[in-house]
Amino acid sequence: MADDCDFCINLGSQLVHRQKEHEGPPATPALYQSDQIRLSDVELSSGRGCATCKFVMQVVKHFELQFEEDDFFSVAIFESEHVLLMFYGNITVQVYTPEGQLAAWEGLAQCPELSDYPHSNRAYQFIRSSLDRCLRSHPKCAQLGNYFPSRLIDVGSSHDSFVRVIETSPEFRGRYITLSYCWGDGKAVKTMQSNYEEMKAGIPIANLPRTIQDAIQATRELGQSHLWVDALCIIQDSKQDWEIESANMASIYQSSLLTLVAATAGAVGDGFLHQEHSTRMAKAAYQEVWQTTYGHKTILAARIVPGYYTHMGDYAEDDDVLPLSLRGWALQEWKLSTRGIIFRREELWWSCISQISCECSILQNMPETRRKFIYNSTHSVTTAEDNYREWHNTVELYTLRTIKYPSDKLPALAGIARVVQDRTGSTYIAGLWNDNLYEDLTWGVPIDTHSRMARSLAYYGPTFSWVSVNAYVNYRLEGNFVKTAYCDILAAKVSVSGLNPLGHVKSAYLTISAPLLKSALLLQIDDLTQFPKRNYSVTCGVEELLLSEDMALESFERVNEDGVIERSARRSNVPNSLAESGTEVWLLYIGYRTYTITTWDGTEHRHMYRIYLVLGKSPSDMSKYERIGIVREDCVIGENLSATPRWCDGFRINVLTII
């Protein structure tokens, strides 16, 4: 290694040593990142004889990275000595020693070559080594279940042109692989009551859609004999079979050896094994002869790898979003799997309960504070409190996705719900949990265009559950939720339709004793901007609080139980409709959250926000209520709540039923 260089910082070695001297041992995994380095300074230092600066400039030239005099880059080095050069535009160059060569300097990562496409020896080598490591050294990933699906696909040998659906017996023992994929709108072979016997006799592989063909090919390459695919292993036109099998999703994915996540395929006919990885389009790695610290010759190399920031989550720029990440059913398939291999555009990713990794090694070395990776298994969450919090995170992610049939909203999460129920012992109430019901009720629809959507004519669940809205919902999870002492849930009941107790809901109600305040909607319209704003607030004593409505609202009149015509607000069947100002509604106070905000000067301010459900009378039964939105009243408070603003005097304890 050359003498210390203040420009290139010896590609991280100097930086690590400096920071370790001041900070002591880092947490694992750790990341050290340099300040911005001016490329023109590195170019100047290269001319003065710094070998490392010269290497950097050769890399810039090799990959034809254009830069201006004032352009910068930074060096990121992981504790494992994986070195990245990070340029403008999320261009990431990895510096490494090729596998089999002496490390160019002590600790520098020795890396295998990246795969060019998923169906390649290098790709299968990555899958096999990840799977072997997990089976050999991950006790947390030891098979969590010994469940075997009712049916599997026998994939046969590599020379067979047919596969067949088999029925498993109680004595069946063996491994199987599962597939997570998008079906799309195409018509393709499915198992139906009319062709069930034919499917058991044998299916020409050529007749199957490309994604399922690829799954069969990958299963064979990995030396396995059995594959589970919902379209072939569930009788699609049998409601009874579909309900039974969908109720077992948790066990099916948990017990499988590996889930193949066909993330790049937008439809079942697309396939996922034969698209070139995007890194293949980059120029070949730059290599030059290098001298190690001890004077031995070796190779120092640099290659374009998937951008650092693309490892920070499943959602990036719109053009980079993976089709499967938009599919509702896929979320539980990923989160229920003990192990998964994710087929992405850039490279392969591995996920199991114990570890996540990728071919270029960025993912497994990224600090957890920067890594926003959503595929972690539901099975890794243990305590009841953590399960409820993870459920909220799951609902938020889930409602970002699409469900082809809105009636499947609860069935498509039934597998995760089964795991949460097993861990907590709580009763499931149409997407909410009886033992966490007060906090579960605090979901909201962000104040944007989603809240102008119309109410569905079909019934998917009670208005107090997020399942009743076709929009993204979120839980504000900062701080701690505290239920008001005056709020008590007296009854929460649900009636399901079908054989899956965590699936379709026929009806539900919630009876609650809580502080209730008669209020009024106030419609605020701002037509002075290009995109007119239409917001509601509600009265709370002398205050006006901003309403986050669940969807489009409208005013209506009905005769109540006393024979009097009463006016209230309800969810509307018409998109973008507006309820009239002055329409009567009710605020139901259920609790508050406390949290701390630290300002730029280090001053801490304690906050709380009170949470009110906003209710209207039910048009079908004016003695009952329906939820139409939520209000969060933010307040600055003292250390012991001493500065908390006075509560409105108009609240009175009432017993009411919400449907």
Side-chain angles (χ1 to χ4, degrees):
M1 175 65 66
D3 293 337
D4 286 353
C5 173
D6 287 333
F7 295 116
C8 70
I9 60 171
N10 296 93
L11 295 190
S13 177
Q14 176 183 337
L15 176 68
V16 170
H17 294 152
R18 283 180 184 171
Q19 295 201 27
K20 284 186 176 179
E21 287 172 6
H22 291 89
E23 299 177 5
T28 301
L31 169 71
Y32 303 101
Q33 189 164 341
S34 73
D35 294 329
Q36 295 291 308
I37 302 170
R38 197 187 304 270
L39 272 165
S40 57
D41 289 339
V42 174
E43 186 175 33
L44 185 63
S45 177
S46 170
R48 291 172 179 170
C50 174
T52 314
C53 283
K54 182 179 179 181
F55 175 81
V56 172
M57 295 313 300
Q58 287 297 113
V59 167
V60 170
K61 180 180 179 180
H62 175 78
F63 290 115
E64 300 175 348
L65 304 178
Q66 304 297 320
F67 71 95
E68 303 294 334
E69 183 177 353
D70 292 331
D71 282 352
F72 294 86
F73 76 102
S74 63
V75 176
I77 177 170
F78 301 108
E79 186 182 9
S80 59
E81 300 286 344
H82 281 269
V83 177
L84 303 178
L85 308 181
M86 299 168 61
F87 297 91
Y88 177 76
N90 199 24
I91 297 173
T92 304
V93 176
Q94 185 177 51
V95 179
Y96 67 104
T97 298
E99 196 172 46
Q101 298 285 336
L102 293 172
W105 56 79
E106 186 176 354
L108 181 65
Q110 294 164 289
C111 300
E113 295 303 309
L114 302 177
S115 63
D116 292 332
Y117 59 98
H119 188 59
S120 65
N121 290 333
R122 288 173 185 163
Y124 286 117
Q125 183 179 355
F126 173 76
I127 299 172
R128 292 189 190 100
S129 63
S130 300
L131 180 58
D132 290 345
R133 180 174 58 251
C134 181
L135 294 173
R136 185 178 63 253
S137 57
H138 292 170
K140 288 184 181 179
C141 299
Q143 206 67 34
L144 292 174
N146 56 2
Y147 178 86
F148 296 101
S150 303
R151 302 176 194 90
L152 288 168
I153 303 166
D154 183 345
V155 301
S157 68
S158 59
H159 301 296
D160 291 338
S161 60
F162 284 76
V163 295
R164 61 192 182 96
V165 173
I166 62 169
E167 296 175 344
T168 60
S169 65
E171 296 78 28
F172 178 85
R173 292 294 178 270
R175 290 171 166 173
Y176 63 93
I177 285 176
T178 42
L179 175 66
S180 178
Y181 67 108
C182 289
W183 183 262
D185 296 324
K187 295 182 178 180
V189 176
K190 303 176 184 178
T191 296
M192 311 291 280
Q193 295 180 77
S194 59
N195 68 356
Y196 184 48
E197 293 304 320
E198 296 175 29
M199 303 297 277
K200 290 195 296 181
I203 321 155
I205 296 174
N207 291 354
L208 296 172
R210 185 65 177 272
T211 295
I212 297 179
Q213 290 185 35
D214 284 356
I216 292 167
Q217 194 169 19
T219 301
R220 289 173 171 179
E221 288 285 347
L222 295 172
Q224 301 302 313
S225 301
H226 297 100
L227 172 68
W228 188 90
V229 180
D230 56 359
L232 302 187
C233 296
I234 300 175
I235 301 175
Q236 296 297 303
D237 59 347
S238 169
K239 181 179 179 181
Q240 179 178 353
D241 193 62
W242 191 89
E243 289 180 346
I244 292 172
E245 295 303 318
S246 64
N248 292 323
M249 287 292 184
S251 299
I252 290 171
Y253 282 93
Q254 175 184 336
S255 298
S256 73
L257 174 68
L258 178 68
T259 297
L260 307 175
V261 181
T264 58
V268 72
D270 291 350
F272 61 92
L273 284 184
H274 300 280
Q275 302 96 328
E276 289 186 343
H277 285 150
S278 58
T279 48
R280 177 178 168 82
M281 303 172 193
K283 290 187 69 173
Y286 172 74
Q287 297 187 355
E288 71 174 55
V289 177
W290 197 259
Q291 193 170 14
T292 70
T293 309
Y294 303 103
H296 302 295
K297 284 188 176 182
T298 187
I299 299 294
L300 182 61
R303 64 188 178 191
I304 298 284
V305 294
Y308 179 82
Y309 295 103
T310 65
H311 294 80
M312 285 189 169
D314 175 35
Y315 297 97
E317 299 296 330
D318 289 345
D319 291 341
D320 295 329
V321 173
L322 296 169
L324 195 59
S325 68
L326 302 177
R327 177 177 172 257
W329 278 95
L331 182 63
Q332 79 163 359
E333 294 165 1
W334 294 352
K335 292 179 74 66
L336 291 173
S337 298
T338 303
R339 305 173 193 86
I341 190 75
I342 299 98
F343 293 85
R344 297 176 62 87
R345 294 189 184 98
E346 307 90 356
E347 58 177 344
L348 303 183
W349 284 12
W350 167 269
S351 172
C352 65
I353 293 174
S354 303
Q355 184 183 36
I356 59 176
S357 61
C358 63
E359 290 186 81
C360 74
S361 301
I362 290 178
L363 196 59
Q364 55 266 47
N365 289 292
M366 182 178 286
E368 291 186 9
T369 54
R370 296 197 177 192
R371 186 173 65 210
K372 304 187 186 303
F373 185 62
I374 69 167
Y375 308 135
N376 290 333
S377 173
T378 298
H379 305 294
S380 62
V381 184
T382 53
T383 68
E385 181 181 357
D386 287 345
N387 269 280
Y388 294 137
R389 182 166 286 266
E390 180 61 23
W391 179 259
H392 292 161
N393 290 331
T394 298
V395 168
E396 291 185 1
L397 290 168
Y398 180 64
T399 55
L400 279 170
R401 296 167 176 242
T402 58
I403 290 283
K404 185 174 182 180
Y405 303 106
S407 60
D408 284 349
K409 268 199 265 188
L410 287 175
L413 271 190
I416 296 178
R418 172 69 67 193
V419 174
V420 175
Q421 188 171 67
D422 290 344
R423 294 279 169 81
T424 64
S426 186
T427 302
Y428 193 52
I429 310 290
L432 313 178
W433 296 99
N434 191 64
D435 293 335
N436 198 54
L437 198 48
Y438 299 99
E439 189 170 6
D440 282 4
L441 290 169
T442 65
W443 58 270
V445 178
I447 300 174
D448 58 16
T449 55
H450 287 300
S451 60
R452 306 300 182 198
M453 297 176 67
R455 178 176 69 89
S456 173
L457 296 177
Y459 180 84
Y460 302 128
T463 62
F464 59 80
S465 171
W466 56 267
V467 78
S468 65
V469 301
N470 293 324
Y472 167 65
V473 303
N474 62 9
Y475 285 90
R476 285 178 57 177
L477 298 176
E478 67 270 25
N480 300 307
F481 175 78
V482 180
K483 177 187 80 70
T484 176
Y486 305 107
C487 183
D488 288 299
I489 292 174
L490 306 178
K493 301 294 182 182
V494 62
S495 175
V496 299
S497 60
L499 302 176
N500 185 352
L502 307 177
H504 297 114
V505 170
K506 185 162 53 178
S507 64
Y509 70 88
L510 173 68
T511 300
I512 188 169
S513 173
L516 189 69
L517 174 71
K518 184 179 288 189
S519 176
L521 282 178
L522 299 177
L523 177 61
Q524 301 163 338
I525 301 178
D526 178 7
D527 286 330
L528 299 179
T529 60
Q530 181 180 359
F531 301 101
K533 295 181 180 179
R534 293 172 170 81
N535 293 319
Y536 294 103
S537 59
V538 291
T539 57
C540 184
V542 297
E543 300 290 328
E544 294 181 7
L545 306 178
L546 186 65
L547 169 65
S548 174
E549 68 269 33
D550 295 337
M551 58 183 67
L553 303 179
E554 64 184 13
S555 303
F556 74 98
E557 291 182 344
R558 288 286 189 279
V559 177
N560 65 20
E561 62 270 27
D562 297 323
V564 177
I565 295 177
E566 190 172 359
R567 194 162 181 262
S568 188
R570 65 181 177 187
R571 297 174 176 182
S572 177
N573 295 333
V574 181
N576 299 312
S577 66
L578 296 170
E580 297 175 14
S581 271
T583 302
E584 200 169 70
V585 294
W586 285 260
L587 303 186
L588 181 75
Y589 179 48
I590 58 175
Y592 61 90
R593 281 189 178 276
T594 60
Y595 61 101
T596 300
I597 293 179
T598 304
T599 56
W600 63 271
D601 59 357
T603 305
E604 291 188 347
H605 301 275
R606 292 208 61 201
H607 283 243
M608 71 172 287
Y609 59 85
R610 295 185 177 121
I611 305 171
Y612 308 94
L613 299 187
V614 182
L615 309 175
K617 288 294 185 78
S618 172
S620 61
D621 184 346
M622 294 291 281
S623 67
K624 297 181 173 64
Y625 294 79
E626 294 183 2
R627 173 180 155 148
I628 61 171
I630 192 168
V631 164
R632 300 177 173 108
E633 180 188 15
D634 204 357
C635 318
V636 179
I637 61 176
E639 278 300 315
N640 57 0
L641 306 185
S642 58
T644 304
R646 180 183 175 86
W647 199 28
C648 177
D649 290 331
F651 279 93
R652 297 291 183 268
I653 304 298
N654 276 260
V655 175
L656 62 150
T657 296
I658 308 172
I659 58 176

